[in-house]
Amino acid sequence: MPVNFTLFDISAGLIDQWREAFTVLVPAECRARVVIVHGGISDLHPPFDLHRIACQLLREVRWRVSWTSRYFLLPPSQYWHHISFDQVLSDRLSPPTVPDALTRVAQRVIYDRWRGYAPPGTCTLLPLSGTPCAGNPFSCRYVALCPTMRLPSSVVWHKEIVYNCVWSLLVEIDHHNARAAVDPRLHPIRSVVMTGIGTGIGRIPPKQCAKQTALAFAHYHAAKTRVATWSTMTWADIEQYPLNVRLPSDAY
């Protein structure tokens, strides 16, 4: 099932890096399903230029939450200036009478799936149907939780965390849609809205985030279209998909 992605962020630097990385690294067939938008969450509403596309995305979107710890706890208030989008997202999805509703939903799912500890680099889909968050203004049906850290801190040392998170997200969406194809009780995921991973508290540079995001998309596309190779990978095959690639804007 085709899935459309909107990558958006308030950082002009990250937007520029995404655009270059996707143009250079991602095949056109895959890139055609990715829209990159410079703006915040409010910019996904009319009179936004992509109004029709944005409205379609927001009807079935599941948001990838990158800032959370493995235990899905909002970081202390002293960190909020780094993660304003994520706090806004929690506020928007939770009803005013239950401001911590999204946290409670997430912790319940994480305990069932991971016994309360979701390792960084994994992805866990949080269904919002039947929860206090179900009536959110975006009609958002799922949140995809992709933790990057155990506690709020820099993860610059982890050179593959963004790649791992995006790969896990793509796998989880595929598995979900495969289940939805045979289970009418499940809503298929057709569109995804996501911001940069690890670029707030995690301190991951925009270029690193953009490269790893684009490479995960490119390699996953290869895995889906070159099944014979990816289902029987050799060391020589693996070396054909490096993560330390250079872009035209990289300084030599």
Side-chain angles (χ1 to χ4, degrees):
M1 174 182 297
V3 180
N4 295 314
F5 289 82
T6 292
L7 278 58
F8 79 103
D9 207 278
I10 60 174
S11 167
L14 178 56
I15 294 298
D16 290 341
Q17 295 294 340
W18 266 338
R19 287 173 176 159
E20 180 186 27
F22 272 79
T23 299
V24 174
L25 302 173
V26 181
E29 179 184 354
C30 177
R31 193 169 65 244
R33 296 197 173 278
V34 179
V35 175
I36 299 174
V37 177
H38 182 207
I41 190 171
S42 60
D43 294 310
L44 298 178
H45 293 279
F48 186 57
D49 289 341
L50 297 177
H51 163 59
R52 184 170 61 86
I53 298 175
C55 285
Q56 175 186 356
L57 292 171
L58 291 171
R59 281 199 297 273
E60 296 174 324
V61 69
R62 73 254 41 62
W63 300 78
R64 197 260 324 120
V65 183
S66 65
W67 47 264
T68 54
S69 70
R70 308 178 198 194
Y71 310 99
F72 202 94
L73 286 173
L74 282 172
S77 58
Q78 64 263 34
Y79 296 106
W80 284 4
H81 64 285
H82 293 301
I83 55 162
S84 58
F85 164 75
D86 307 291
Q87 183 61 42
V88 168
L89 175 60
S90 181
D91 291 343
R92 295 287 186 92
L93 294 183
S94 301
T97 55
V98 193
D100 63 346
L102 182 59
T103 296
R104 300 306 162 213
V105 169
Q107 289 183 322
R108 188 162 54 249
V109 173
I110 290 172
Y111 184 80
D112 289 343
R113 171 81 178 274
W114 300 101
R115 289 298 176 261
Y117 173 87
T122 61
C123 176
T124 305
L125 288 185
L126 314 175
L128 300 185
S129 298
T131 76
C133 299
N136 65 81
F138 305 116
S139 298
C140 172
R141 291 172 174 163
Y142 301 94
V143 168
L145 172 64
C146 301
T148 57
M149 60 192 70
R150 180 172 181 269
L151 294 171
S153 61
S154 170
V155 289
V156 172
W157 59 270
H158 198 320
K159 302 304 181 183
E160 300 177 6
I161 188 62
V162 176
Y163 182 93
N164 294 346
C165 284
V166 176
W167 186 278
S168 296
L169 171 67
L170 298 174
V171 170
E172 195 68 17
I173 291 171
D174 259 2
H175 286 172
H176 173 86
N177 284 344
R179 293 191 298 269
V182 297
D183 186 347
R185 296 171 299 176
L186 294 177
H187 294 287
I189 293 172
R190 298 189 179 94
S191 48
V192 178
V193 172
M194 56 185 286
T195 58
I197 295 178
T199 55
I201 292 175
R203 305 282 188 182
I204 292 178
K207 182 178 287 292
Q208 181 177 331
C209 174
K211 278 187 184 180
Q212 291 190 18
T213 301
L215 285 169
F217 271 84
H219 294 174
Y220 196 77
H221 178 73
K224 296 277 289 185
T225 56
R226 303 174 187 174
V227 178
T229 298
W230 278 77
S231 61
T232 57
M233 291 286 271
T234 66
W235 287 114
D237 293 327
I238 294 172
E239 290 175 354
Q240 299 302 309
Y241 298 94
L243 297 185
N244 59 340
V245 299
R246 300 189 72 87
L247 297 177
S249 64
D250 291 340
Y252 286 91

